[in-house]
Amino acid sequence: MTPFSYLRAADAETALRLAGVHARHPGAGHPGVEHPATKYLGGGTNLVDLMRETIERPGTLVDVTGLSDRIAETGDANGNRGLLIGAAVRNTALAEHRLVRQRYPMLSRAIVSGASPQIRNMATVAGNILQRTRCAYFYDRAGSRCNKREPGQGCDAIDGFNRMHAILGASPACVATHPSDLCVALAALDATVHLSGAGGERRLPFTELHRLPGDEPDRDTALEPGDLITAVELPALPLAANSAYRKVRDRSSYAFALVSVAAALSVENGTVTDVRLALGGVAHKPWRALTAEQALRGQPATEAAFRAAAAAELAAAQPLRDNGFKVELAQRAIVAVLGELAGHDRTGDGA
């Protein structure tokens, strides 16, 4: 067992103070033992697993489940209403919240699609956002090379069994995918992350939080050391009331996505006036499908237009030996979800 210190924080200020103190004293509490990092602990459904596998070996855990677990409405002078979601809100509570189900149904569906009820009851919003890849080579310390786990080692997934791996945004250093369902919906919804850190409080667009691997695959996010997620904000987004999330996986429950789609669609007089679209299971981060969105706005809400937009988005795909099927699968899933939101039946294209 790798020894570590465990501390609890009742609020963000205390969490930052405790993390700062122990970052300066990495061996605190265990003389003669060097511990490389301080980690914030939410529900622990991923971090604790990584600690068991000795992939993560923090010297100190700062328990932040005492942070806000409230979901509150926000508003502006024009009466637009969004939501502010505390970092410690449990996934189940978020999925079941009345305003989430009414205004952002894709978010509720995405959460329910992930993990088991027991895990959703434990997992926090911030913890879900910061979970790490489930790439089998990342977890295999004994027999596999992994640049995400140990930079400079190499990536055995590239020439290995890579059926679950990335087809968009990958690099020669890493082809892992991001595992979250919640994050795909947040990317589509133009969410904003509220952060506290050494430089004070700041906000970050959700689509800028996670990183593509590039030549630093060990860096999952744009967070600075010690940064703490305190809340996630959803903007007022009327078209999100007409939204959906679809997850394609190998079995009906407790399985990570081969491909997932989060979409919101607004159609007037048969024309797409606005759209939001994001993909999961295809990249190192939740993939905002901006090319498809641009291709759809102002176009007729037909199956042909949906297929053309999906093909445009997947044109940049670079599949590996075992995951080429994801290209067609992603396109079909996009068309199916958009067709559902446009009110198409199974046989027609809605023209």
Side-chain angles (χ1 to χ4, degrees), residues 246-301:
R246 183 170 297 191
K247 180 177 182 178
V248 184
R249 47 192 164 177
D250 286 325
R251 57 184 185 272
S252 61
S253 65
Y254 202 52
F256 296 104
L258 293 168
V259 168
S260 64
V261 176
L265 185 69
S266 176
V267 177
E268 295 181 12
N269 299 319
T271 298
V272 176
T273 56
D274 203 0
V275 62
R276 298 291 188 278
L277 191 63
L279 305 177
V282 297
H284 196 260
K285 60 182 286 185
W287 186 266
R288 182 68 181 268
L290 295 173
T291 299
E293 290 181 8
Q294 184 176 1
L296 280 170
R297 292 188 180 98
Q299 296 300 308

Side-chain angles (χ1 to χ4, degrees), residues 26 43 98 118 133 153-154 207 276 286:
R98 177 179 58 86
Q118 294 86 348
T133 185
Q153 264 202 344
T207 52
R276 298 291 188 278

Side-chain angles (χ1 to χ4, degrees), residues 44-57 141:
T45 59
N46 183 221
L47 178 57
V48 172
D49 287 344
L50 292 170
M51 290 173 65
R52 287 193 185 113
E53 299 294 330
T54 66
I55 294 167
E56 294 275 12
R57 291 183 287 179
R141 283 183 58 85

Side-chain angles (χ1 to χ4, degrees), residues 182-273:
L182 166 68
C183 289
V184 181
L186 292 177
L189 290 170
D190 292 323
T192 300
V193 181
H194 291 227
L195 301 169
S196 289
E201 297 182 355
R202 70 184 195 279
R203 299 183 181 186
L204 186 68
F206 191 84
T207 52
E208 297 178 14
L209 176 65
H210 298 96
R211 299 179 65 258
L212 292 177
D215 58 2
E216 293 183 285
D218 54 309
R219 290 188 59 208
D220 292 338
T221 71
L223 298 183
E224 298 296 330
D227 275 352
L228 176 66
I229 295 176
T230 57
V232 175
E233 185 172 355
L234 298 179
L237 196 64
L239 83 156
N242 184 41
S243 65
Y245 183 80
R246 183 170 297 191
K247 180 177 182 178
V248 184
R249 47 192 164 177
D250 286 325
R251 57 184 185 272
S252 61
S253 65
Y254 202 52
F256 296 104
L258 293 168
V259 168
S260 64
V261 176
L265 185 69
S266 176
V267 177
E268 295 181 12
N269 299 319
T271 298
V272 176
T273 56

Side-chain angles (χ1 to χ4, degrees), residues 73-83 233 235-237:
E73 277 194 284
T74 61
D76 60 23
N78 297 319
N80 298 313
R81 299 290 182 181
L83 286 181
E233 185 172 355
L237 196 64

Side-chain angles (χ1 to χ4, degrees), residues 68-74 82-86 88-100 104 107 125 232 234:
S68 173
D69 61 356
R70 296 181 63 248
I71 301 173
E73 277 194 284
T74 61
L83 286 181
L84 187 67
I85 303 162
V89 170
R90 304 289 176 167
N91 285 5
T92 295
L94 182 60
E96 295 179 351
H97 195 276
R98 177 179 58 86
L99 294 180
V100 173
Y104 310 95
L107 183 58
V125 169
V232 175
L234 298 179

